[in-house]
Amino acid sequence: MSEIKAAIFDLDGTMIDSMYVWEKVDHDFLTERGIPVTQEYTDNVRSMFFETAAKYTIETYHLSESVEQIVQIWLNMARHEYEYNVKLKNGVYKYLEFLKSKNIKIGIATSSNPYLTEPVLEHNGITHFFDTVCYTSQVGKGKEFPDIYLYTAGKLGVKPSECVVFEDIVEGISSAKTAGMKTVAVYDSTSENQADILKKISDKYIIDFSEMSGV
């Protein structure tokens, strides 16, 4: 990938070990309302940005809360974990240092929210590595579409063909490929059932970032 000028990272499940938080949020939120948590629900909301996931949840379970109310409930449930407990995955910090040493631009493309993203980056001491942090809410589409990756590349001032995208879900890898970018799929336990597909459609598949010796 010698032509690569920028690296774009997903956050949850790729750089940080945070998916347990969302499993807990899903479980607690639905259980409090007497609703069973299904794998289908978890899989469907994983690639959505918050507002879309909230709308989907309301429509699926006929809830009375508004989109805004549900989003705020979720954020409040997750905030403490992101600010104090969520850690980087193995090898992430060293790999970010390596990219900086090679003058590779670095961006984040996430379905998360600044309310969570900013404290988790600060808590783990990696805020300074990133040239831009972009959110699916800024483009109005989830990661099943390439828009967030193209938007992030634009913010970094590079062509899509000059980017490599790190993602842990099939939707993200597929959309990044559609955008014309190189892709590295990152193992996460919550997407373990997608491992075979990820290996097939990505340019590279890694268990963790200690396997990355270049770009």
Side-chain angles (χ1 to χ4, degrees):
M1 299 186 188
S2 58
E3 74 282 6
I4 295 301
K5 295 182 179 179
I8 297 173
F9 292 86
D10 168 56
L11 184 63
D12 294 280
T14 299
M15 283 197 297
I16 59 174
D17 193 10
S18 60
M19 297 309 289
Y20 78 93
V21 177
W22 294 108
E23 290 180 346
K24 185 176 187 303
V25 168
D26 287 345
H27 179 273
D28 292 351
F29 178 83
L30 294 178
T31 300
E32 286 173 3
R33 290 156 179 79
I35 301 168
V37 184
T38 66
Q39 191 61 47
E40 180 184 11
Y41 173 81
T42 301
D43 289 343
N44 284 341
V45 300
R46 184 179 293 145
S47 65
M48 296 177 183
F49 60 91
F50 283 106
E51 289 78 6
T52 304
K55 183 179 179 182
Y56 171 79
T57 304
I58 291 168
E59 292 174 350
T60 301
Y61 299 115
H62 311 291
L63 302 180
S64 60
E65 292 103 328
S66 68
V67 168
E68 292 75 16
Q69 287 173 324
I70 288 179
V71 168
Q72 195 57 54
I73 290 169
W74 287 345
L75 291 174
N76 290 341
M77 292 172 76
R79 170 80 183 208
H80 179 84
E81 290 296 314
Y82 274 73
E83 189 166 4
Y84 297 105
N85 298 326
V86 172
K87 305 296 184 184
L88 297 178
K89 286 193 164 186
N90 187 46
V92 169
Y93 195 94
K94 286 186 177 180
Y95 188 59
L96 292 173
E97 283 187 317
F98 168 78
L99 292 176
K100 273 298 182 189
S101 73
K102 299 298 183 182
N103 295 316
I104 301 293
K105 293 183 178 180
I106 310 174
I108 290 176
T110 179
S111 300
S112 190
N113 183 288
Y115 186 65
L116 301 178
T117 300
E118 291 172 3
V120 80
L121 296 181
E122 183 175 345
H123 166 64
N124 285 285
I126 60 172
T127 304
H128 64 286
F129 285 119
F130 300 101
D131 298 291
T132 189
V133 179
C134 300
Y135 301 91
T136 50
S137 58
Q138 293 175 293
V139 299
K141 292 183 179 180
K143 288 194 169 180
E144 64 270 30
F145 300 97
D147 301 58
I148 182 59
Y149 306 105
L150 294 169
Y151 180 76
T152 307
K155 286 289 187 180
L156 292 171
V158 296
K159 300 175 183 177
S161 61
E162 297 171 330
C163 297
V164 57
V165 172
F166 295 84
E167 271 281 2
D168 68 311
I169 59 172
V170 168
E171 293 88 349
I173 292 293
S174 296
S175 293
K177 295 287 284 187
T178 299
M181 301 174 178
K182 298 291 186 183
T183 57
V184 177
V186 182
Y187 169 83
D188 189 75
S189 59
T190 59
S191 56
E192 190 170 10
N193 62 332
Q194 298 180 328
D196 289 342
I197 302 173
L198 287 167
K199 290 174 184 177
K200 184 177 181 180
I201 66 174
S202 63
D203 295 300
K204 184 178 178 69
Y205 182 87
I206 61 173
I207 298 301
D208 65 52
F209 285 85
S210 66
E211 298 175 46
M212 294 298 300
S213 58
V215 283

